[in-house]
Amino acid sequence: MRLSAMSMPQAGSVNFLDSNGKPCPAQMANILLGTNEPDIYGSCMGDMFGKCTSHCDTQVDCPAARLFPTDEIHAQPNSRGECNCWQYSHATGAGFWPLAGCQASQPLPKMWEDPGCVGTVMQNWKQTAQLAYAKGYKYLSTPLVAENLDYAKSFIEHACGCSGGQCSCQDASCGCPVYVGFHFYAYDCMPEGTGGYETLQERLDATARIMEQYPFVKGAIINEVGMLNCASEDKNPICVPDSGRYPANQQKDHSCPTTEDLPHGMASFINGLMDRIIQAQTSDGRKVVKSLSWFNANQDGGVYNLLLFNSDGSLNEAGEAYLSACSRWRGR
């Protein structure tokens, strides 16, 4: 929940060092996104994805997960669903890990029940926000929640000093997020049948209500959007790949097949979600979604093949749909 001065590039800088220590030719934006998925426990990436949902409390009986397993026999977590996720792999989000100053072993998903933990997280956040502002960042987002928009709302109210509908802090200079960050994934190539579109609409409506209650909030940044390759899991949106009705390992190109929900496969899903995003607005006419990023990966992190390009660099059908939908959105 807190970054160091060395790990935070200057806003607007070019050729900053990426996470691998290599120069990146892009220009760093002036918005700092919050921490990743603190509202769920998440899972360890690699050969235990969906099965290892906690770090080990002790190093006894603590099998190591591997991000890139070298054989076809995948390791398993211990009987408590724990594994060594730090040595050869990493977790999907911050909710997987403990935090000094918080009582629970995995405190962040339920931190609002622990006032001491809330105080620790907010103190760390304020320090990060001060550093970001000093480095030229003009805007902050809430944590990038996996599913719980109430979590994002509570974070705004604590970070911005809100009481009785009034907030003492309303911009980055004092640590106030003005963007709501969240993720959205549908399941098993059935966005209608498993309630995916309904879930997206609920998150859009929740963001609109936050914007209406706190007008300084500018809108939503949905920085992960895609389709999970598993059956729907209501309690924790982390699942075991290939466990649904349409497992990716049995589909052409490991993508969504043509179904009643998706007559054009993944392209239909893209059009369906973009229709809802384009239409989402507050009661006073402000657009809810300000930015969206498709999870452009192939079976990484439990998703289907979500690539928008063919191997020769040309757009595939999903890519064509994404380009067309973004053009529609820009024209509104």
Side-chain angles (χ1 to χ4, degrees), residues 279-303:
Q279 294 169 9
Q281 62 181 27
T282 61
S283 58
D284 57 0
R286 288 177 290 156
K287 294 295 184 181
V288 169
V289 181
K290 306 303 182 183
S291 175
L292 176 143
S293 299
W294 179 253
F295 195 75
N296 187 39
N298 184 0
Q299 301 174 90
D300 186 15
V303 300

Side-chain angles (χ1 to χ4, degrees), residues 191-235:
E192 295 281 4
T194 59
Y197 289 144
E198 181 180 352
T199 296
L200 173 61
Q201 192 61 55
E202 289 173 353
R203 293 179 191 173
L204 295 172
D205 292 345
T207 303
R209 289 193 294 271
I210 294 172
M211 295 170 67
E212 290 163 357
Q213 183 172 359
Y214 302 113
F216 62 84
V217 175
K218 298 179 180 296
I221 294 175
I222 314 176
N223 78 310
E224 285 188 26
V225 178
M227 180 74 73
L228 286 171
N229 170 31
C230 57
S232 177
E233 175 56 67
D234 295 331
K235 295 182 180 179

Side-chain angles (χ1 to χ4, degrees), residues 58-208:
T58 70
Q59 293 306 306
V60 178
D61 184 24
C62 189
R66 294 183 181 271
L67 186 60
F68 303 108
T70 56
D71 54 49
E72 295 183 359
I73 301 175
H74 291 184
Q76 298 292 327
N78 64 27
S79 60
R80 299 178 298 279
E82 300 171 343
C83 69
N84 169 352
C85 193
W86 61 268
Q87 194 169 9
Y88 306 111
S89 187
H90 59 268
T92 57
F96 186 90
W97 300 109
L99 179 66
C102 298
Q103 294 181 10
S105 176
Q106 292 176 293
L108 296 183
K110 296 183 179 181
M111 77 169 188
W112 306 112
E113 301 173 10
D114 179 357
C117 188
V118 173
T120 295
V121 170
M122 286 300 151
Q123 181 181 21
N124 290 347
W125 170 251
K126 292 290 186 179
Q127 292 176 9
T128 298
Q130 289 172 2
L131 174 60
Y133 187 72
K135 288 207 165 192
Y137 292 84
K138 295 182 179 180
Y139 308 102
L140 309 171
S141 87
T142 68
L144 308 171
V145 298
E147 60 172 359
N148 188 352
L149 269 293
D150 285 340
Y151 194 107
K153 182 173 182 286
S154 294
F155 196 93
I156 288 173
E157 291 173 340
H158 282 79
C160 304
C162 300
S163 178
Q166 301 297 315
C167 305
S168 60
C169 167
Q170 297 187 10
D171 59 48
S173 66
C174 49
C176 179
V178 295
Y179 289 98
V180 177
F182 70 86
H183 298 162
F184 168 70
Y185 290 92
Y187 292 87
D188 204 14
C189 298
M190 295 188 292
E192 295 281 4
T194 59
Y197 289 144
E198 181 180 352
T199 296
L200 173 61
Q201 192 61 55
E202 289 173 353
R203 293 179 191 173
L204 295 172
D205 292 345
T207 303

